[in-house]
């Protein structure tokens, strides 16, 4: 978190950004600045972030930026720490309650939690959590769920390892390119909020 705060202190303009908040999946996004910076994207990802940590640090990291839109990705580390879908969703609800209190009405994008070859044994929990995230988004105004996990699958439904780094946990630039394209399909909702 301190490394993120240091980076933000030297960032040109943090106010009224589109905040991408969450785990190292956000932090490691290659070409983030070139892809989303011109649209107001601000990377607020931090290493080892769980959704629980995102709830805890929300006021410290997100609120000072006064974002006009929020894109959330977290949860795979929680599930990797043996939290079940209900626990992850309960933490998402806590985070969204903070958004509603402090940033009422802003667009919120919930990105699906990805599985990975390393966490294949947890895939059922991840998929169950994603179904609940999708349902959660449907119950909230100005909230959208975007399934990016499916873009990492082969035609037979298995994970395509060509989208992952050698650690088989983090996605690589090829995977992120697919995610960039998918998010740009939602450009109006994510980036054009006033």
């Amino acid at each position: 978190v301190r490394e993120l705060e240091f980076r933000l202190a030297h960032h040109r303009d943090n106010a009224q950004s589109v905040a991408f908040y969450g785990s190292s999946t956000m932090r490691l996004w290659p070409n983030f600045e070139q892809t989303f910076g011109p649209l107001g994207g601000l990377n607020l990802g931090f290493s080892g972030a769980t959704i629980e940590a995102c709830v805890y640090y929300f006021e410290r990291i997100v609120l000072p930026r006064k974002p006009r839109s929020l894109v959330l990705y977290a949860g795979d580390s929680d599930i990797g720490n043996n939290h079940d879908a209900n626990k992850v969703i309960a933490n998402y609800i806590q985070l969204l309650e903070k958004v509603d209190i402090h940033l009422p009405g802003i667009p919120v994008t919930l990105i699906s939690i990805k599985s990975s070859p390393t966490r294949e044994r947890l895939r059922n929990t991840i998929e169950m959590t994603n179904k609940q995230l999708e349902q959660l988004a449907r119950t909230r105004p100005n909230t959208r769920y975007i399934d990016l996990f499916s873009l990492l699958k082969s035609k037979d439904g298995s994970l395509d390892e060509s989208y992952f780094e050698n650690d088989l946990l983090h996605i690589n630039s090829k995977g992120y390119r697919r995610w960039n394209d998918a998010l740009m399909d939602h450009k109006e909702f994510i980036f054009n909020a006033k």
Side-chain angles (χ1 to χ4, degrees):
V1 170
R2 286 190 180 150
E3 182 251 319
L4 171 60
E5 289 175 323
F6 178 80
R7 196 169 19 107
L8 290 172
H10 295 89
H11 196 272
R12 57 180 155 57
D13 182 23
N14 295 323
Q16 289 294 295
S17 60
V18 175
F20 281 66
Y21 185 50
S23 71
S24 59
T25 296
M26 287 288 194
R27 185 185 66 79
L28 297 171
W29 205 297
N31 300 314
F32 180 92
E33 189 62 36
Q34 295 89 333
T35 304
F36 302 122
L39 299 169
L42 180 65
N43 191 330
L44 301 180
F46 57 102
S47 293
T50 58
I51 188 65
E52 197 167 15
C54 289
V55 171
Y56 181 81
Y57 288 111
F58 179 79
E59 288 88 353
R60 182 171 160 183
I61 294 174
V62 177
L63 277 189
R65 271 79 244 157
K66 299 179 180 80
R68 68 179 192 266
S69 180
L70 185 62
V71 179
L72 298 173
Y73 178 90
D76 52 347
S77 293
D78 303 75
I79 294 168
N81 291 334
N82 297 315
H83 291 177
D84 64 17
N86 293 332
K87 174 71 172 167
V88 174
I89 296 300
N91 284 321
Y92 261 97
I93 290 169
Q94 273 190 292
L95 181 58
L96 292 169
E97 286 171 348
K98 288 186 175 202
V99 172
D100 292 343
I101 290 167
H102 299 289
L103 302 166
I106 70 165
V108 176
T109 303
L110 305 177
I111 295 177
S112 61
I113 299 167
K114 68 169 172 51
S115 189
S116 63
T118 300
R119 292 191 170 144
E120 185 64 25
R121 65 183 170 75
L122 303 171
R123 185 166 169 178
N124 288 339
T125 302
I126 290 168
E127 289 177 345
M128 186 183 319
T129 307
N130 283 336
K131 284 180 187 170
Q132 290 182 31
L133 269 179
E134 185 175 16
Q135 291 170 346
L136 178 61
R138 275 195 235 124
T139 68
R140 294 178 43 81
N142 222 20
T143 303
R144 188 171 290 182
Y145 170 83
I146 301 177
D147 177 14
L148 298 184
F149 170 45
S150 293
L151 300 176
L152 305 176
K153 296 179 187 176
S154 300
K155 288 181 182 174
D156 66 2
S158 64
L159 287 171
D160 184 340
E161 291 186 9
S162 74
Y163 292 122
F164 292 87
E165 295 287 354
N166 291 335
D167 65 3
L168 297 179
L169 177 64
H170 297 97
I171 58 176
N172 61 24
S173 58
K174 178 181 172 186
Y176 279 109
R177 278 193 302 275
R178 297 229 38 215
W179 281 23
N180 288 347
D181 293 343
L183 287 177
M184 290 309 237
D185 288 343
H186 299 271
K187 179 180 175 181
E188 190 67 30
F189 178 81
I190 296 171
F191 298 101
N192 292 341
K194 301 292 181 217

